[in-house]
C-alpha cells in the first residue's frame, strides 16, 4: 500500500514538471513564429538571409544603362515591358519621356506612352514556405502616379533566363506582376557558393527541410502526458482502491468540480451588472 501511495506522489510531481516543460515549449514555439527570416541587402543586387543560411546574387543578370537585361517583353495585358533587376537604364525611343534611370518600364500600346514602373533598388521579400524571393520595385512617385512592380523569382535549372509578365493587377492598378525564371534566382546554401555553379532547384536547403517543429513536439508531449496521467491513474485506483466506473478517474472530484467553479465565477463576475438596487436603499413595493 505504501509503495502505491509513494508511486502516486511521484507521479503527481512528474506531471507538474511535465506541464511546466510543456508551457516552456509553447513559449519557445511562439518565439520561433515571431522570429521571421528576412533577406538583408548585402550589396547591389544581393541579399543574405538573416539566419545566414542562404544568399541571393542577381549580378549576372545585369544589363547596362541603355540595354536592360529584358527588353520589349509582351505582357498579358497587351503592353510591352523593359526590366533590369540590377541596373538603372534609359530608353532612347523618341516617344519616351518617363523611362529615364528606371528599373522597370512599361509601354502602353493603347496610349502610345511610356510609364515608369520602378526606379529604386528593390525590397527583398523572403517566403519561408517555398524558399523563394520576391523583388518589389516602386517608382518613387506619389498619388495616382505611384506604381509598384512585384517580380517573383523562380529557381530553374537552366542556362536560359525567362521573364513572364502578367501585367497590371486588375484588383490594384498600381501594381504590376512579373515572374523571373533563372538559375540565379536560386538561393545558395553557402554564401560563398557562386551562382554559376548552377545549384539544383530541388537540392535541399536548411530553411526548406521539413523536420519536426516545436509545435508538433508540444502536442506530442501534451497528448503523451494526458494518456499517461489517465492510464496510470486509472490503473492505480482500480488496483489499490478497487474503484469502478468514474471512481477510477484520477482526481475525479477536482475535474468534476470545474464546470461548477466556472459557473460560480461567471455569476460572481456578472452579479453587479444584474443587481438592481433602489437609490434610497428601500425595498421595492
Amino acid at each position: 500500500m505504501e509503495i502505491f501511495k509513494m508511486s502516486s506522489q511521484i507521479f503527481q510531481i512528474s506531471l507538474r514538471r511535465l506541464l511546466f516543460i510543456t508551457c516552456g515549449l509553447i513559449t519557445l514555439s511562439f518565439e520561433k513564429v515571431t522570429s521571421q527570416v528576412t533577406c538583408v541587402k548585402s550589396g547591389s543586387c544581393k541579399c543574405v538571409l538573416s539566419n545566414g543560411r542562404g544568399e541571393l546574387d542577381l549580378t549576372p543578370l545585369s544589363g547596362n544603362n541603355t540595354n536592360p537585361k529584358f527588353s520589349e517583353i509582351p505582357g498579358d495585358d497587351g503592353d510591352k515591358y523593359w526590366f533590369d533587376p540590377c541596373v538603372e537604364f534609359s530608353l532612347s525611343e523618341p516617344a519616351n519621356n518617363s523611362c529615364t534611370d528606371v528599373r522597370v518600364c512599361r509601354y502602353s500600346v493603347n496610349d502610345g506612352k511610356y510609364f515608369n514602373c520602378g526606379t529604386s533598388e528593390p525590397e527583398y521579400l523572403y517566403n519561408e514556405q517555398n524558399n523563394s524571393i520576391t523583388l518589389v520595385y516602386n517608382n518613387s512617385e506619389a498619388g495616382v502616379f505611384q506604381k509598384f512592380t512585384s517580380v517573383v523569382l523562380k529557381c530553374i535549372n537552366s542556362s536560359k533566363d525567362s521573364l513572364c509578365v502578367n501585367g497590371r493587377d486588375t484588383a490594384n492598378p498600381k501594381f504590376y506582376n512579373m515572374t523571373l525564371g533563372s538559375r540565379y534566382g536560386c538561393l545558395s546554401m553557402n554564401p560563398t557558393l557562386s551562382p554559376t555553379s548552377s545549384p539544383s532547384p530541388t537540392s535541399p536547403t536548411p530553411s526548406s527541410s521539413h523536420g519536426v517543429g516545436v509545435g508538433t513536439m508540444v502536442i506530442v508531449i501534451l497528448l503523451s502526458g494526458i494518456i499517461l496521467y489517465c492510464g496510470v491513474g486509472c490503473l492505480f485506483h482500480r488496483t489499490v482502491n478497487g474503484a469502478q466506473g468514474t471512481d477510477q478517474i484520477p482526481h475525479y472530484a477536482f475535474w468534476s468540480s470545474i464546470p461548477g467553479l466556472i459557473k460560480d465565477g461567471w455569476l460572481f463576475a456578472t452579479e453587479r451588472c444584474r443587481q438592481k438596487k433602489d437609490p434610497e436603499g428601500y425595498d421595492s413595493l
Side-chain angles (χ1 to χ4, degrees), residues 95-138:
N96 172 42
N97 57 359
S98 298
C99 292
T100 302
D101 296 330
V102 299
R103 300 286 184 99
V104 187
C105 180
R106 163 180 165 257
Y107 173 73
S108 175
V109 176
N110 295 331
D111 299 337
K113 296 181 180 180
Y114 292 83
F115 295 92
N116 169 15
C117 296
T119 54
S120 62
E121 289 191 9
E123 293 293 329
Y124 299 89
L125 304 181
Y126 176 61
N127 188 326
E128 229 174 328
Q129 293 183 346
N130 55 22
N131 195 36
S132 67
I133 300 288
T134 298
L135 310 176
V136 179
Y137 300 84
N138 72 79

Side-chain angles (χ1 to χ4, degrees), residues 131-176:
N131 195 36
S132 67
I133 300 288
T134 298
L135 310 176
V136 179
Y137 300 84
N138 72 79
N139 64 355
S140 303
E141 297 186 20
V144 295
F145 301 104
Q146 187 178 32
K147 294 179 177 61
F148 299 89
T149 300
S150 173
V151 182
V152 178
L153 299 182
K154 185 178 181 180
C155 177
I156 61 174
N157 191 16
S158 172
S159 59
K160 185 177 180 180
D161 307 314
S162 62
L163 181 67
C164 177
V165 180
N166 307 109
R168 178 179 290 186
D169 193 328
T170 55
N172 192 339
K174 289 186 177 182
F175 283 82
Y176 297 83

Side-chain angles (χ1 to χ4, degrees), residues 9-262:
Q9 292 175 356
I10 294 174
F11 173 73
Q12 292 179 19
I13 294 173
S14 301
L15 180 62
R16 293 192 190 99
R17 291 179 178 176
L18 177 62
L19 293 175
F20 178 78
I21 294 172
T22 302
C23 292
L25 290 175
I26 292 174
T27 303
L28 289 175
S29 65
F30 280 119
E31 289 179 355
K32 183 178 180 181
V33 170
T34 55
S35 59
Q36 183 179 6
V37 178
T38 59
C39 202
V40 184
K41 294 180 183 178
S42 61
S44 178
C45 240
K46 296 180 181 180
C47 74
V48 177
L49 295 183
S50 57
N51 58 11
R53 295 182 178 178
E55 181 189 48
L56 178 74
D57 186 2
L58 299 177
T59 306
L61 296 177
S62 302
N64 56 55
N65 55 6
T66 57
N67 295 300
K69 175 65 177 178
F70 301 96
S71 300
E72 298 187 48
I73 305 298
D76 294 344
D77 53 5
D79 294 338
K80 295 181 180 179
Y81 291 83
W82 288 257
F83 171 61
D84 196 297
C86 302
V87 178
E88 293 182 350
F89 60 88
S90 300
L91 298 183
S92 58
E93 278 76 1
N96 172 42
N97 57 359
S98 298
C99 292
T100 302
D101 296 330
V102 299
R103 300 286 184 99
V104 187
C105 180
R106 163 180 165 257
Y107 173 73
S108 175
V109 176
N110 295 331
D111 299 337
K113 296 181 180 180
Y114 292 83
F115 295 92
N116 169 15
C117 296
T119 54
S120 62
E121 289 191 9
E123 293 293 329
Y124 299 89
L125 304 181
Y126 176 61
N127 188 326
E128 229 174 328
Q129 293 183 346
N130 55 22
N131 195 36
S132 67
I133 300 288
T134 298
L135 310 176
V136 179
Y137 300 84
N138 72 79
N139 64 355
S140 303
E141 297 186 20
V144 295
F145 301 104
Q146 187 178 32
K147 294 179 177 61
F148 299 89
T149 300
S150 173
V151 182
V152 178
L153 299 182
K154 185 178 181 180
C155 177
I156 61 174
N157 191 16
S158 172
S159 59
K160 185 177 180 180
D161 307 314
S162 62
L163 181 67
C164 177
V165 180
N166 307 109
R168 178 179 290 186
D169 193 328
T170 55
N172 192 339
K174 289 186 177 182
F175 283 82
Y176 297 83
N177 300 310
M178 301 179 179
T179 302
L180 171 58
S182 172
R183 59 177 174 168
Y184 301 107
C186 306
L187 278 166
S188 61
M189 293 178 59
N190 189 338
T192 61
L193 177 65
S194 172
T196 55
S197 58
S198 303
S200 173
T202 57
S203 59
T205 60
S207 56
S208 62
S209 60
H210 299 282
V212 179
V214 178
T216 304
M217 291 174 57
V218 171
I219 294 175
V220 171
I221 293 174
L222 188 59
L223 290 178
S224 301
I226 293 174
I227 294 173
L228 183 64
Y229 169 75
C230 295
V232 175
C234 290
L235 180 63
F236 171 78
H237 284 297
R238 180 186 300 177
T239 306
V240 178
N241 301 326
Q244 298 291 332
T246 56
D247 292 336
Q248 300 178 75
I249 301 175
H251 305 100
Y252 175 75
F254 169 75
W255 297 117
S256 60
S257 66
I258 289 180
L261 294 174
I262 295 175

